[in-house]
Amino acid sequence: MASIVYFTDMRTGYKKNLYDKLGALFTRSNIGETIREKDTVALKLHWGERGNLGFIPPTLVRYVVEKVKNFGGKPFITDTNTLYTGSRRNAVDNILTAIANGFSPEVVGAPVIVADGLCGRDFAKVKIKGTHFSEVKIASAVHHAKALISLAHFKGHEGTGFGGTLKNIGMGCGSPGGKQNMHSDVKPSVNENNCTACGSCIEVCPVDAITFTAERKSRINHKKCIGCGECVTVCNYNAIAVNWQSDLNVMQEKMVEYALGVVQEKKQKCAFFDFVMNVSPDCDCCGWTDASIVPDVGILASFDPVALDQAALDLVNEAAALPGTKLARKEAAANKFAAMYGVGGEHQLEYAEKIGLGSRKYELVRVACGGGG
């Protein structure tokens, strides 16, 4: 059976701005049904690395916060500590980064909580029936919240093709130890012919697994490598790559199993949004935001995370590609993310459907509200 995905585009008009359209989407989709009086409600989002500007605008997040309060809920915005080296590896730096990017309690109207504690060790062990895991490590604040609303910025990702709701709640709600488990099969390798010895990969490696050879070429020690993929992200010379077809399929499956661990104990208490705007080619974990590969598409909402991500992926692939972006001369590709990375993200959707997280079949319901919407 097809799941319902609600959609509003980016067209606005007099007395019908984007807040009005988001409100109409919230109302039409009946998201408020997930919230009961005095429920603690985790608003899981990604507030961006320092230097990144691709995240959901904090003022739109505040609008959702106010909606949750109107239903009697007690919302808090939350994310987890990272596996890689950056500005969000512990709760102190993480919260300071959130504030620097505009996600302060004064702006969003809710507390900012790092879901897995000071150093990423505050998590709950959740039993699941997966191919790769029988137990997953879910960030404590997300696990213990009575309800969950995922606010995902839909964009590209070098390891999963795209990052949407499944990645926001799967990878995004795992503790750093859980993230390491998800990445453990990803072992990058160096093409020495392309290596310029710039040292970027060495600088960002969190476990000192990369060194220079006598010939001044980077070399990765796979015994020490934890598979976080940071070296792939920062290399500007195509010198570091991953075995896309095998390793990354496994990583996507593990990520989806973590998403299952997040939602399985919150029956009828989860709702999901994909903000398909500023569709950057790279994850918001990067310390930059590259040019969007398509024009802003809109905002989608559903109770089915699989249908939601499938609809968002289809809308991006149907959109006109923007020139002068990372897509280069591959604008006509059937899957824009596969054209950039060799992985389009369909596998995460296939596997999520297989383990019962949702359906790839959907009915797109357009929510009209002013302008061209």
Side-chain angles (χ1 to χ4, degrees):
M1 179 181 292
S3 296
I4 303 297
V5 176
Y6 296 92
F7 169 67
T8 187
D9 63 27
M10 300 296 291
R11 295 294 307 281
T12 59
Y14 179 61
K15 294 186 177 180
K16 296 293 182 182
N17 58 35
L18 198 56
Y19 301 115
D20 299 317
K21 301 195 78 171
L22 180 57
L25 192 67
F26 200 101
T27 300
R28 181 72 185 279
S29 61
N30 294 316
I31 296 298
E33 291 182 357
T34 62
I35 305 165
R36 297 290 178 268
E37 187 77 21
K38 297 183 180 180
D39 273 356
T40 50
V41 183
L43 302 185
K44 171 61 182 73
L45 66 147
H46 192 315
W47 47 64
E49 192 73 18
R50 282 186 181 266
N52 189 290
L53 300 174
F55 44 80
I56 301 167
T59 49
L60 286 180
V61 174
R62 183 187 182 98
Y63 191 88
V64 177
V65 166
E66 295 303 326
K67 284 290 185 181
V68 171
K69 289 179 179 178
N70 289 342
F71 281 96
K74 296 182 178 181
F76 62 94
I77 68 168
T78 191
D79 199 3
T80 54
N81 292 305
T82 60
L83 176 63
Y84 61 84
T85 301
S87 67
R88 298 182 302 120
R89 204 172 183 193
N90 62 74
V92 175
D93 292 337
N94 213 340
I95 291 176
L96 289 174
T97 298
I99 293 171
N101 286 347
F103 293 92
S104 67
E106 293 81 5
V107 173
V108 298
V112 180
I113 296 175
V114 176
D116 54 347
L118 180 62
C119 301
R121 296 177 182 174
D122 190 0
F123 58 84
K125 295 180 179 180
V126 178
K127 300 290 184 182
I128 65 166
K129 295 181 179 179
T131 301
H132 306 283
F133 299 122
S134 60
E135 182 179 86
V136 291
K137 303 171 183 177
I138 304 302
S140 181
V142 169
H143 176 72
H144 293 296
K146 296 299 183 182
L148 169 71
I149 297 179
S150 168
L151 306 175
H153 171 223
F154 196 87
K155 68 281 181 185
H157 189 273
E158 73 280 357
T160 60
F162 68 86
T165 290
L166 291 172
K167 187 172 186 297
N168 188 44
I169 63 174
M171 192 71 70
C173 291
S175 68
K179 291 181 175 72
Q180 182 173 343
N181 290 338
M182 285 181 266
H183 284 84
S184 61
D185 291 288
V186 180
K187 301 297 182 183
S189 58
V190 177
N191 180 343
E192 293 189 357
N193 291 329
N194 292 346
C195 181
T196 65
C198 70
S200 296
C201 56
I202 295 175
E203 182 178 346
V204 301
C205 181
V207 292
D208 298 323
I210 309 176
T211 56
F212 282 135
T213 66
E215 293 77 25
R216 294 290 292 177
K217 301 292 183 180
S218 292
R219 176 174 294 169
I220 300 173
N221 183 338
H222 284 174
K223 291 183 178 179
K224 296 179 67 176
C225 175
I226 60 175
C228 67
E230 277 302 287
C231 55
V232 179
T233 301
V234 301
C235 181
N236 291 320
Y237 303 99
N238 295 318
I240 304 179
V242 175
N243 183 340
W244 301 114
Q245 296 306 313
S246 58
D247 297 337
L248 293 185
N249 279 350
V250 173
M251 186 182 77
Q252 289 180 66
E253 291 174 7
K254 290 181 174 182
M255 178 184 77
V256 167
E257 290 185 10
Y258 260 73
L260 176 64
V262 171
V263 304
Q264 71 174 9
E265 297 181 16
K266 286 184 169 60
K267 301 296 185 183
Q268 299 181 329
K269 300 292 287 183
C270 296
F272 312 98
F273 287 85
D274 271 348
F275 289 74
V276 192
M277 46 199 293
N278 202 357
V279 185
S280 50
D282 306 306
C283 181
D284 293 346
C285 293
C286 298
W288 64 87
T289 304
D290 201 358
S292 300
I293 61 173
V294 295
D296 288 349
V297 174
I299 307 171
L300 299 91
S302 182
F303 293 108
D304 183 334
V306 183
L308 182 67
D309 274 357
Q310 181 69 67
L313 177 62
D314 290 344
L315 287 170
V316 169
N317 285 331
E318 292 166 6
L322 293 173
T325 72
K326 196 167 185 172
L327 273 174
R329 288 182 291 275
K330 303 172 184 176
E331 294 92 343
N335 187 308
K336 293 177 171 62
F337 302 111
M340 292 187 294
Y341 297 121
V343 54
E346 293 94 342
H347 188 72
Q348 60 178 287
L349 298 169
E350 294 168 358
Y351 189 70
E353 184 176 54
K354 178 181 177 181
I355 67 173
L357 262 176
S359 172
R360 295 182 70 185
K361 296 180 181 179
Y362 64 90
E363 176 187 351
L364 193 68
V365 176
R366 294 179 179 268
V367 178
C369 182

